[in-house]
Amino acid sequence: MKGGKHVERPVSRIVVVGGGTAGWLAACSIAARANRAAETPLSVTLVESPDVPTIGVGEGTWPTMRRTLERIGIAEGDFLLACDASFKQGSRFEAWRTGAAGDFYLHPFTPPPEGSAQALVEAWRAGFADRSFAEAATAQAHVTALDLAPRQRAMPDYAGALNYAYHLDAAKLAALLARHGVSRLGIRHIRDHVLATDLAENGDVAAVRTRDHGAVEGDLFLDCTGHAALLIGGRYGVPFVDRSDVLFNDRALAVQVPVAPGSPIGSLTNATAHAAGWIWDIGLPTRRGVGCVYSSAHASDEQAAEELQAYVRRAVPEADVDAAAFRRLTFRSGHRERFWERNCLAVGLSAGFLEPLEASAIVLIELSLDALLDNFPVTRSAMDAHAGRFNALFRYRWDRIVEFLKLHYVLSGRDEPYWRAHRDAASVPDRLAELLTIWRHQPPSTADLPSVDEIFPAASYQYVLYGMGFAAPAPGPVRIEGVDASATALRQVEQRARALAAGLPSNRTYLDALRAAAASPMELTH
């Protein structure tokens, strides 16, 4: 393109600015998929400030993490041990409908039996309504109630009898990725302060200027600097789209609670609603991560601390937790108007953040990297076209996450001001309101979620919708086909649940055996 704005130069020097989960996942994912035989091989440099701590409370993942770790080249057992990790098979929502005793439902990771959504929901309504939709639709409900692992140790890495993800220590994950990335993947790691950003004549980032290492040049820069958003926000001024008109929570208190050796390890992220938000509870082998998410417009910091203390006293009676130990986090729900600007791509908190109700933070990092690597801009002249497609895809995904999180609130019957505000029609996205009208007469299906890039499938909407007590539609004027086949499939779910309960170890048994095997030189394979 002689005389043009963009020259045909290869994109080969990747600079990741910022460490933590986002930075190291980005660097390792790119380095692991780099073609060493390419004419101009990719190089990956990560610049990380030595003084910026990792946020470190992102403890929940999606099943995508298994594929990500496998691609990077980390053995599953090594990951579980290094990150004090455990298995996650979904989420349990307690006290979201009414707050009364026994008020809970599940959003498991394993989908219902294949087939027509209408036939499945009708089969459940007609013949299995004595149990919740999740209990009827997947054996995972029974398995998680028993705190069982989703796999046996003899299975190949990252394979399971049920779909699963992980709970983990985010700071330890970043440290594992850093060690692996530098020693095995050839990532150049610079620990230094970024002082400024140098721009090229065409407006691209040419380099980040550091205090001790000078200018670190690159062709593509990934902004993984967290809420600071040094490049996408600080340098390029890409606007932030505030979504707090839909999702009200803007504060969190977090604490780590030690657990006794041998105590059960849960299979689910527990989310317990309170008067002005909800409390997460995540079980790891050596501790539980517990936190109170709340809206500062509906509760004070002191009220939230009291709520968290009361929960910990109920859930872990032996724990002695003082409010002074709570870590206070503030956030604004929203995202950038654009995520890829010129040769700068925002990944992680620099791209945006929403409350961690469905653990969307880490999976958005993974999906961003998948989108980048599956459609990599080989030359600078192709980059703007890729950026436009990326921005459209991820604006769609952020919108869908906002709607899905809101779904958890709008169906609640709780009567506190916070919950009434969530049901106010003015705070409900138009598309979600329209879908709720449709779902009175038919269940969520691919007709409602037609994109191949849906971040939550129809099954996730079904689990939340019917878990929250939304009435299953009665038969309409058009006959539903396949109901008998769906009823047979639901009976098979019961049989599979019994078989899995008899054959799977508990989470504690699995993880303790893994740790014992790692400590024994005689155990070399499993």
Side-chain angles (χ1 to χ4, degrees):
M1 296 180 62
K2 186 176 180 180
K5 184 177 180 181
H6 298 150
V7 296
E8 282 289 344
R9 66 175 186 270
V11 175
S12 63
R13 299 171 301 169
I14 313 301
V15 178
V16 179
V17 185
T21 303
W24 283 109
L25 270 177
C28 288
S29 296
I30 296 168
R33 289 185 64 180
N35 179 10
R36 309 298 177 188
E39 183 177 346
T40 309
L42 293 179
S43 67
V44 181
T45 300
L46 185 142
V47 182
E48 179 179 27
S49 170
D51 299 332
V52 177
T54 300
I55 295 294
V57 294
E59 297 177 327
T61 64
W62 281 17
T64 49
M65 182 55 72
R66 288 151 56 199
R67 180 190 63 193
T68 296
L69 291 170
E70 187 171 31
R71 283 177 171 176
I72 289 172
I74 296 175
E76 186 170 33
D78 293 343
F79 156 76
L80 288 167
L81 293 173
C83 299
D84 194 26
S86 57
F87 299 113
K88 174 182 176 180
Q89 298 185 59
S91 297
R92 184 180 191 271
F93 296 91
E94 185 170 348
W96 285 72
R97 289 178 61 182
T98 64
D103 169 14
F104 76 91
Y105 73 94
L106 305 182
H107 175 198
F109 282 146
T110 299
E114 293 183 1
S116 158
Q118 287 183 301
L120 180 74
V121 172
E122 174 56 21
W124 167 60
R125 189 192 69 83
F128 298 83
D130 60 331
R131 66 199 70 176
S132 72
F133 180 74
E135 290 172 320
T138 172
Q140 201 152 41
H142 185 54
V143 166
T144 56
L146 299 173
D147 295 332
L148 300 181
R151 52 173 277 126
Q152 297 169 325
R153 288 187 56 230
M155 291 178 173
D157 276 9
Y158 303 112
L162 294 161
N163 199 19
Y164 68 94
Y166 308 101
H167 292 135
L168 52 84
D169 184 311
K172 291 181 178 179
L173 173 63
L176 171 65
L177 293 170
R179 292 192 300 271
H180 182 80
V182 172
S183 64
R184 300 292 182 86
L185 300 176
I187 295 168
R188 180 189 178 202
H189 183 199
I190 297 175
R191 292 182 64 83
D192 205 345
H193 298 277
V194 174
L195 303 178
T197 306
D198 296 343
L199 293 186
E201 290 184 5
N202 67 354
D204 282 0
V205 175
V208 290
R209 189 162 298 279
T210 64
R211 185 181 62 188
D212 299 324
H213 292 77
V216 181
E217 298 180 341
D219 304 310
L220 176 64
F221 290 79
L222 273 62
D223 185 344
C224 300
T225 60
H227 292 302
L230 293 179
L231 302 183
I232 199 74
R235 166 48 74 179
Y236 282 125
V238 175
F240 185 87
V241 180
D242 194 324
R243 307 305 293 265
S244 59
D245 58 329
V246 178
L247 300 172
F248 307 149
N249 293 331
D250 58 357
R251 300 283 189 277
L253 298 175
V255 66
Q256 296 179 357
V257 182
V259 297
S263 58
I265 303 172
S267 297
L268 302 164
T269 295
N270 286 292
T272 301
H274 61 80
W278 56 278
I279 291 173
W280 79 74
D281 188 345
I282 290 175
L284 302 182
T286 62
R287 65 169 174 83
R288 282 160 72 168
V290 187
C292 179
V293 180
Y294 59 104
S295 161
S296 62
H298 297 88
S300 66
D301 293 344
E302 292 72 24
Q303 288 171 322
E306 291 172 3
E307 194 76 51
L308 183 54
Q309 278 186 304
Y311 177 89
V312 172
R313 281 195 290 267
R314 293 194 306 271
V316 194
E318 67 274 17
D320 182 17
V321 177
D322 188 276
F326 295 164
R327 182 180 178 189
R328 180 171 288 110
L329 305 167
T330 62
F331 59 89
R332 184 168 50 140
S333 286
H335 51 79
R336 295 290 157 184
E337 187 176 276
R338 298 179 303 281
F339 313 97
W340 192 335
E341 184 78 357
R342 304 197 64 83
N343 68 333
C344 170
L345 173 61
V347 176
L349 296 178
S350 59
F353 181 77
L354 301 172
E355 61 179 273
L357 184 60
E358 287 282 1
S360 57
I362 293 178
V363 75
L364 278 168
I365 297 170
E366 297 177 86
L367 294 175
S368 296
L369 298 169
D370 287 347
L372 168 65
L373 292 166
D374 290 345
N375 299 277
F376 192 80
V378 176
T379 65
R380 177 59 184 89
S381 62
M383 192 177 290
D384 291 342
H386 284 293
R389 290 166 55 176
F390 185 100
N391 288 332
L393 171 61
F394 277 83
R395 178 56 192 258
Y396 181 88
R397 284 176 163 167
W398 282 90
D399 285 346
R400 299 294 81 77
I401 296 172
V402 169
E403 292 171 358
F404 187 63
L405 298 186
K406 187 68 170 183
L407 180 66
H408 295 65
Y409 294 97
V410 297
L411 302 176
S412 176
R414 294 185 64 126
D415 198 36
E416 295 96 338
Y418 169 88
W419 295 91
R420 291 199 300 269
H422 264 300
R423 292 193 295 271
D424 186 334
S427 75
V428 181
D430 292 342
R431 184 177 180 277
L432 177 58
E434 181 180 87
L435 288 172
L436 287 167
T437 299
I438 292 172
W439 291 338
R440 285 200 287 266
H441 307 290
Q442 63 190 59
S445 71
T446 53
D448 309 310
L449 304 155
S451 173
V452 295
D453 293 309
E454 294 294 345
I455 195 159
F456 291 101
S460 292
Y461 287 83
Q462 293 164 14
Y463 285 131
V464 174
L465 199 71
Y466 301 124
M468 286 294 292
F470 197 83
V478 177
R479 181 170 56 86
I480 301 172
E481 297 181 343
V483 175
D484 290 344
S486 289
T488 298
L490 293 180
R491 286 191 289 272
Q492 291 171 345
V493 167
E494 293 182 89
Q495 298 168 6
R496 178 163 167 74
R498 288 193 292 269
L500 289 173
L504 291 171
S506 72
N507 291 312
R508 174 59 72 184
T509 297
Y510 185 107
L511 295 167
D512 282 357
L514 179 67
R515 193 165 298 278
S520 171
M522 299 299 293
E523 296 250 12
L524 299 177
T525 55
H526 300 307

